Amino acid sequence: MRNMRRFYLSPHSDPGNPSANNTPAQQPAQQAPAQQPDPQAAFQSLLDRNANDAQRVAWLLYNDNHAARSEARDLQTRVLEMQNQMVQLQQQVPTDGSVVLSGELVNAWTRYQALGTPEDIATLQRSYVLRDAAEAHEYKVSVLQTLANNLTLELRPNVEGGGQTAYVVTGENQATPLPEYVQKNWPDFLPALENKPQSLAFPKQTIGSPLPNGNAVQAELNRHYAIPKEK
């Protein structure tokens, strides 16, 4: 058995794999858990560094505590300021359906609010429309305002001749000129509506007929200065 090879196995070798390294495998070193600081040891170390002067150590600890409390107060103040700023920013964010105005629009909106409520402004606008409609057709404003209380009026410029015409709007595409509407719906009120001087009616007289009793002064003058009739 000259050709027999001999293997020397160590207790850590693998019998099934003689060529394996006979040295034990290197195990990774485990990190020791961090130890919590010992307050008593830390205090004793602080005493040692200050020559066991307890009063000095107490003073140092007080200063550190005071500085920590001051820093905490400053941080709390900054947090409160940031919270207030966030609330202000949230209040400035427009809600759904709102409109943000700037520049001249803000001034215009301020002047608009000075005119009154939307109802007051609508009433004022309607009064202007009634006034212009009455002037366009020589109607009395007070009478037109009473008659057209529940009507929607609209002024439109005339195509020819200039000026404008008032229309009574009764539908999306239905508008009647105001004079036509008056003739059709308010014929009995037309004399009171027209802003024209009423002609005076005089009783029919014949030559030599006495004056009406209504003009007593003229009748008296005629009696005194009448031309005598020939016999």
Side-chain angles (χ1 to χ4, degrees), residues 102-225:
S102 61
E104 289 297 327
L105 294 178
V106 176
N107 297 330
W109 176 250
T110 303
R111 294 193 298 268
Y112 181 83
Q113 287 183 317
L115 296 177
T117 63
E119 291 77 12
D120 296 336
I121 296 174
T123 303
L124 184 63
Q125 290 176 340
R126 178 171 176 79
S127 66
Y128 289 156
V129 173
L130 288 171
R131 181 200 62 187
D132 295 341
E135 291 179 355
H137 300 288
E138 296 184 355
Y139 293 153
K140 294 179 181 178
V141 179
S142 58
V143 179
L144 180 61
Q145 183 176 5
T146 301
L147 295 175
N149 185 33
N150 296 323
L151 297 180
T152 300
L153 298 180
E154 180 181 316
L155 288 166
R156 301 179 182 178
N158 297 327
V159 178
E160 298 179 357
Q164 53 187 0
T165 300
Y167 287 81
V168 179
V169 180
T170 56
E172 183 177 356
N173 297 318
Q174 297 178 354
T176 305
L178 182 59
E180 296 182 12
Y181 190 91
V182 170
Q183 291 288 348
K184 182 179 180 180
N185 297 276
W186 307 326
D188 297 337
F189 296 96
L190 186 58
L193 181 61
E194 291 181 338
N195 193 17
K196 298 179 180 178
Q198 300 292 333
S199 59
L200 298 176
F202 294 96
K204 186 177 181 181
Q205 298 181 5
T206 59
I207 299 176
S209 61
L211 295 174
N213 296 333
N215 196 346
V217 175
Q218 187 65 39
E220 186 65 19
L221 291 175
N222 291 338
R223 188 175 65 81
H224 283 285
Y225 299 100

Side-chain angles (χ1 to χ4, degrees), residues 15-52:
N17 186 11
S19 62
N21 189 3
N22 295 332
T23 60
Q26 298 294 331
Q27 299 294 332
Q30 295 182 357
Q31 186 176 3
Q35 296 181 353
Q36 298 295 330
D38 186 2
Q40 185 175 359
F43 182 75
Q44 184 61 46
S45 177
L46 183 61
L47 282 174
D48 295 340
R49 291 196 304 270
N50 291 275
N52 290 326

Side-chain angles (χ1 to χ4, degrees), residues 1-68:
M1 297 182 179
R2 295 179 180 177
N3 295 329
M4 182 180 295
R5 299 178 62 184
R6 297 182 180 180
F7 298 96
Y8 295 94
L9 302 179
S10 67
H12 302 286
S13 61
D14 186 2
N17 186 11
S19 62
N21 189 3
N22 295 332
T23 60
Q26 298 294 331
Q27 299 294 332
Q30 295 182 357
Q31 186 176 3
Q35 296 181 353
Q36 298 295 330
D38 186 2
Q40 185 175 359
F43 182 75
Q44 184 61 46
S45 177
L46 183 61
L47 282 174
D48 295 340
R49 291 196 304 270
N50 291 275
N52 290 326
D53 189 346
Q55 185 175 0
R56 177 176 174 78
V57 170
W59 176 251
L60 293 175
L61 293 176
Y62 172 80
N63 284 339
D64 291 343
N65 185 34
H66 178 75

